[in-house]
Amino acid sequence: MEHFSINETAQYSVLGLWLILGAAVFSRALFQLARTGGKVSAAEFGPRDLLLCCGFIVWFGASIEKGFGQPQPSVDRTGILQTAVLFVGIVGFIAAYLNLRGIDPLRQFGILRNPGVCFAMAAGFLFATYPLVLLTGKLTEFALHGAGKPQNIVEFLENANQASDKGTVILTM
């Protein structure tokens, strides 16, 4: 039988309490959403929007499928910049498309709220999600019998952090 040290027991206790707190935060948000409804409406969307969405799903799915069985690509600043440009382009395309359809992207995605409230909500949900991420990592580690290998991007970030390369760390986020 495996015995835990007091330090490990305390860590697991804190993680357990944090997990319960996170579940409470998400439960409250879901109940509030069910009671009052959301601020985002899908009423303006129609069949052509569904077609565009399906196009994105096929494109992303094909990109994912193309990567199966391939070695992980090396990660460098150029690749990160290219990916960032791609994501900005996708978001820009969606915003332009919504504008052409007469839909305000800021209103549609609920960004017109008080920025302080948005930041506080995002920080709260991030805080509530963190123990779930840790738990998922531990379950994955257990399922792989500790044989998991970190992704190249994780190693890249660890190396940048150890080298105190704040610009690269910020660029990656």
Side-chain angles (χ1 to χ4, degrees), residues 43-68:
E44 294 116 344
F45 295 114
R48 62 181 160 188
D49 306 312
L50 179 61
L51 185 64
L52 179 67
C53 184
C54 288
F56 271 120
I57 290 170
V58 167
W59 179 48
F60 286 127
S63 298
I64 291 168
E65 191 275 329
K66 182 181 173 187
F68 282 128

Side-chain angles (χ1 to χ4, degrees), residues 53-145:
C53 184
C54 288
F56 271 120
I57 290 170
V58 167
W59 179 48
F60 286 127
S63 298
I64 291 168
E65 191 275 329
K66 182 181 173 187
F68 282 128
Q70 301 294 324
Q72 288 187 22
S74 63
V75 178
D76 58 6
R77 286 180 77 114
T78 304
I80 291 172
L81 278 172
Q82 289 171 342
T83 303
V85 168
L86 175 67
F87 285 138
V88 167
I90 291 170
V91 170
F93 174 80
I94 292 171
Y97 174 79
L98 289 174
N99 273 327
L100 284 173
R101 295 263 293 110
I103 301 169
D104 180 14
L106 295 177
R107 181 191 54 76
Q108 186 61 38
F109 294 115
I111 301 175
L112 291 179
R113 301 177 88 166
N114 178 341
V117 170
C118 286
F119 180 77
M121 286 177 63
F125 283 127
L126 182 63
F127 180 79
T129 303
Y130 192 70
L132 296 173
V133 171
L134 290 176
L135 181 63
T136 303
K138 289 293 182 189
L139 289 173
T140 303
E141 189 178 306
F142 175 76
L144 294 174
H145 305 290

Side-chain angles (χ1 to χ4, degrees), residues 1-6 8-9 12 138 141-142:
M1 183 168 161
E2 185 178 338
H3 294 339
F4 293 110
S5 69
I6 293 175
E8 286 176 326
T9 304
Y12 285 120
K138 289 293 182 189
E141 189 178 306
F142 175 76

